Amino acid sequence: MVIKTPEWVKDAVFYQIFPDRFSMGKPPQPHYKNHIKANNLESWHSQPTPQGYKGGNFWGIIDKLDYIKDLGINAIYFTPIFQSTCNHRYHTHDYYQVDPLLGGNYAFQEFLKQAHQREIKVVLDGVFNHVGRGFFFFNDILENGPFSAWLDWFKVEKWPVSAYDGSLPANYASWVGNRALPQFNHNNPQVREYIMQVAEYWLHQGIDGWRLDVPDQVKVEGFWQEFRERVKNINPEAYIVGEIWKPAEKWLDGTQFDGVMNYQFTEATLAFAGGDRILRQHVDIPPYYPYPPLNPRKYAQRIHHLLNLYDWEITLTQLNLLASHDTARLLTIAGGDIKTVEIATLLLFTFPGAPSIYYGDEVGLLGGLDPDSRRVFPPPQSWNQDLLKYHKNLIQLRHKYIALRRGNYQPLYADEHIYIFSRKYSEETIIVIINIDTQPRNITLNLCNFPIKINEKIFGDSTFIYEQIDGKENIVFNLLPRSGSLFI
């Protein structure tokens, strides 16, 4: 079959936002009088807690749209935004209502309009495996027991249902046994249709795609195939990306998702860029393994394997990332080592697929595992301006050179310290060179074995010269310690 994926994703740079923690703003007049305001919020800059709310909302995100656009972002992925009883909103109560603490449907529609005016796409988190206990159909079961009209929407194992008493077993199917997250009965045609209609509704409202939470937990045959068909019937360019941490051939056959959150890239790239600097206590809980250290040869092997897992169309629409709300912060994982962050970020923006930045990583925001990784976006005086500039420059290069977005990926050289690869599209070729050694390195390559003409450096501090040795023309790269550079 011919696999087709959204064209815009191949040119996208994503920004992941956790809405409660990004920015808090006020709606414009005259709507402010109708704004629902909470009165029990945590102090904005205090350490986040598992259950506390900070009060971030879409009015604040609108205020930050110019910053996001200036960074070079042209797509945003939100963790869940629908009405829920938790700050991360994975406990959905109503799929048709944006959480009132975020500003409700009106604030989201205003955000969507202003984002699209800036040519920024918007992808929402679809939590379609489970809901919160306050979800109407499950709440009806709690109220009416076996007399509920919605009994078959969930898998109740025994009566009476024990939804809150931790001393009793949770006697209904739930996500990983968490009684706060009742699991849909996806075999029920009504449930299936309900989820499909939710997906269709928000596409009609103007969103540009869905990120699917734990889609591997939905075991019903044909479910995601139907989901894709109905989504694409509304918008053929809508993006469908799944949260799959492991190799995902099963879901990336062209009939289900356009891509997955590419944690396979994450773990290999962090193990290469950080080596033994990666702090194991910050990566042992999530199901990815950015350890043990990888030298350039082993990294090249991992990347070769990863690039051959999927159809090239799928590879170009993978969601590549270095951190997310489910991991510790990038700089914290790296033990505060900026060079690890820089090398990993360079590899992110030169790899096939759509790069994604977890809000705040571009300015050096710290944070351990959840809830610490969900700190509020820091004020400008706390930003690492050099790291912000580093991100901006790489994003600009990715937008400027089509080879970095669409070009094939070819490893050219790897030894114990140096890794070289190219991205080539038509007549445009970008050469990327990484030195992971703590010492400067010089490497001489004969042009018979390196038949790519380099004209100039476009990023980084390393240099090159051409020289004749014994009648043969060579190119000599002078590489700074733990650095990366791009040449064209």
Side-chain angles (χ1 to χ4, degrees):
M1 64 176 291
V2 176
I3 294 177
K4 187 176 186 326
T5 56
E7 286 299 308
W8 67 265
V9 178
K10 300 166 189 174
D11 300 317
V13 176
F14 275 86
Y15 197 66
Q16 182 192 347
I17 293 178
F18 189 90
D20 186 62
R21 309 290 161 75
F22 188 60
S23 181
M24 179 167 41
K26 295 180 180 180
Q29 296 288 354
H31 306 287
Y32 185 65
K33 63 183 179 181
N34 298 320
H35 179 56
I36 298 175
K37 195 172 182 180
N39 60 2
N40 187 32
L41 300 176
E42 290 183 343
S43 171
W44 183 254
H45 291 292
S46 64
Q47 290 296 107
T49 61
Q51 290 183 283
Y53 290 90
K54 297 292 187 184
N57 56 32
F58 276 108
W59 303 116
I61 299 170
I62 289 170
D63 293 341
K64 290 283 196 296
L65 275 176
D66 288 339
Y67 164 82
I68 292 170
K69 182 68 174 179
D70 182 65
L71 182 58
I73 300 300
N74 56 8
I76 295 174
Y77 148 52
F78 286 106
T79 53
I81 68 169
F82 303 125
Q83 185 174 299
S84 175
T85 50
C86 57
N87 57 47
H88 53 70
R89 298 184 171 88
Y90 282 93
H91 299 53
T92 310
H93 277 202
D94 189 337
Y95 288 95
Y96 289 97
Q97 297 298 321
V98 173
D99 197 291
L101 198 56
L102 295 178
N105 289 18
Y106 175 79
F108 176 70
Q109 286 296 342
E110 183 62 24
F111 159 79
L112 192 62
K113 180 180 75 174
Q114 295 206 29
H116 284 165
Q117 287 174 350
R118 293 168 173 84
E119 299 183 322
I120 296 173
K121 303 285 189 181
V122 177
V123 172
L124 297 186
D125 206 321
V127 189
F128 299 136
N129 174 67
H130 51 264
V131 295
R133 287 170 293 205
F135 181 68
F136 171 78
F137 301 88
F138 186 78
N139 197 251
D140 191 273
I141 294 174
L142 296 184
E143 293 291 330
N144 296 298
F147 300 100
S148 172
W150 312 103
L151 197 59
D152 290 339
W153 279 53
F154 300 90
K155 298 177 182 178
V156 179
E157 299 158 355
K158 191 176 180 181
W159 301 100
V161 170
S162 176
Y164 294 96
D165 188 348
S167 68
L168 299 175
N171 46 9
Y172 50 88
S174 57
W175 181 70
V176 298
N178 185 341
R179 73 180 70 230
L181 297 171
Q183 191 169 25
F184 277 125
N185 175 15
H186 296 91
N187 286 302
N188 183 336
Q190 291 179 322
V191 169
R192 187 166 174 153
E193 180 63 21
Y194 175 84
I195 293 171
M196 300 299 166
Q197 288 187 17
V198 168
E200 292 170 331
Y201 174 84
W202 288 104
L203 288 164
H204 284 305
Q205 297 305 304
I207 72 165
D208 301 288
W210 287 104
R211 178 267 192 187
L212 301 173
D213 183 61
V214 294
D216 55 325
Q217 299 297 304
V218 180
K219 310 294 187 182
V220 176
E221 185 176 351
F223 185 91
W224 293 122
Q225 285 84 353
E226 180 183 351
F227 184 90
R228 180 183 183 86
E229 180 180 353
R230 292 180 65 162
V231 164
K232 299 292 185 175
N233 279 343
I234 293 172
N235 179 4
E237 283 288 289
Y239 186 35
I240 305 173
V241 57
E243 181 204 10
I244 305 289
W245 292 67
K246 57 191 177 183
E249 301 97 316
K250 177 181 176 181
W251 294 274
L252 297 180
D253 60 356
T255 70
Q256 299 172 80
F257 310 154
D258 298 309
V260 296
M261 298 182 77
N262 199 356
Y263 285 104
Q264 295 294 299
F265 166 81
T266 311
E267 65 178 31
T269 298
L270 292 184
F272 171 59
D276 58 11
R277 299 169 186 84
I278 299 300
L279 298 183
R280 287 284 294 271
Q281 67 265 34
H282 293 301
V283 295
D284 271 346
I285 295 178
Y288 75 135
Y289 309 95
Y291 53 84
L294 295 178
N295 65 26
R297 290 193 181 99
K298 291 180 179 178
Y299 182 67
Q301 292 171 1
R302 287 284 298 273
I303 292 303
H304 175 77
H305 173 72
L306 181 57
L307 289 173
N308 284 277
L309 276 180
Y310 315 117
D311 186 273
W312 182 243
E313 272 292 298
I314 293 288
T315 295
L316 289 176
T317 50
Q318 291 282 73
L319 188 66
N320 301 327
L321 69 162
L322 298 172
S324 75
H325 67 294
D326 284 324
T327 74
R329 286 279 172 182
L330 178 58
L331 186 55
T332 297
I333 292 171
D337 182 61
I338 291 291
K339 285 296 183 182
T340 294
V341 173
E342 289 180 347
I343 293 171
T345 301
L346 186 148
L347 290 166
L348 173 69
F349 281 99
T350 55
F351 196 71
S356 177
I357 301 169
Y358 184 36
Y359 79 96
D361 277 357
E362 77 278 10
V363 295
L365 183 59
L366 294 169
L369 291 167
D370 173 28
D372 197 35
S373 62
R374 302 169 182 184
R375 299 184 189 184
V376 298
F377 188 75
Q381 60 268 27
S382 300
W383 295 357
N384 183 324
Q385 294 289 347
D386 291 336
L387 190 57
L388 177 60
K389 182 178 179 182
Y390 191 90
H391 278 80
K392 282 186 175 182
N393 288 342
L394 282 172
I395 294 170
Q396 289 171 3
L397 288 174
R398 189 172 177 94
H399 288 319
K400 180 176 181 180
Y401 294 105
I402 193 171
L404 293 177
R405 308 190 306 276
R406 312 290 183 101
N408 62 25
Y409 184 110
Q410 181 64 49
L412 300 175
Y413 179 89
D415 62 21
E416 287 302 307
H417 304 289
I418 298 167
Y419 179 53
I420 306 175
F421 65 93
S422 67
R423 298 292 310 279
K424 178 176 173 58
Y425 187 89
S426 187
E427 300 302 313
E428 184 177 280
T429 302
I430 306 292
I431 303 296
V432 182
I433 302 183
I434 306 291
N435 175 24
I436 62 167
D437 195 6
T438 56
Q439 302 297 319
R441 290 277 168 178
N442 295 334
I443 180 171
T444 300
L445 299 173
N446 187 276
L447 290 186
C448 292
N449 302 318
F450 192 80
I452 299 173
K453 181 68 174 177
I454 290 178
N455 296 308
E456 63 175 313
K457 177 182 67 182
I458 58 174
F459 184 84
D461 297 318
S462 298
T463 60
F464 73 96
I465 60 171
Y466 287 98
E467 64 179 19
Q468 292 275 345
I469 300 177
D470 298 329
K472 297 180 179 179
E473 189 171 15
N474 300 295
I475 185 168
V476 180
F477 293 100
N478 303 295
L479 309 176
L480 295 183
R482 300 196 69 219
S483 66
S485 295
L486 277 67
F487 303 87
I488 189 168

